[in-house]
Amino acid sequence: NHPIGRFIELFNAAGIELIVDVRSVPYSRFASQFNRAALEKSLSSARIGYCYMGDLLGGRPEGRAKGVPLSWEEASAGG
């Protein structure tokens, strides 16, 4: 993971003006700079828009079809 400053530099270099967050659970145990509130604040400070749409577009592990794996690790394990 990049530090938030580098993440923003990459967005600026690419001319990105708006980030749409589609994570159904917009939090990270390992990279707190990408937690929803922290990310939104950092992007706002850099004049990059933030729109949360994970409730509409994000995956929902608890609602997955029976037998559909959550991850490639689970798929390779036959789960």
Side-chain angles (χ1 to χ4, degrees):
N1 289 320
H2 292 295
I4 193 65
R6 178 66 179 138
F7 195 61
I8 289 171
E9 286 174 7
L10 292 169
F11 287 149
N12 286 332
I16 293 172
E17 298 177 355
L18 175 67
I19 299 300
V20 177
D21 190 348
V22 299
R23 300 173 294 166
S24 57
V25 182
Y27 304 98
S28 172
R29 288 181 290 181
F30 306 106
S32 62
Q33 70 270 27
F34 297 117
N35 289 347
R36 182 178 175 181
L39 181 59
E40 186 171 9
K41 182 177 178 182
S42 296
L43 292 171
S44 177
S45 295
R47 296 186 171 184
I48 297 173
Y50 175 88
C51 179
Y52 176 73
M53 296 193 71
D55 53 346
L56 298 174
L57 301 174
R60 291 179 180 80
E62 68 278 358
R64 69 185 173 142
K66 185 174 181 164
V68 176
L70 284 172
S71 66
W72 66 268
E73 291 101 341
E74 201 175 65
S76 65

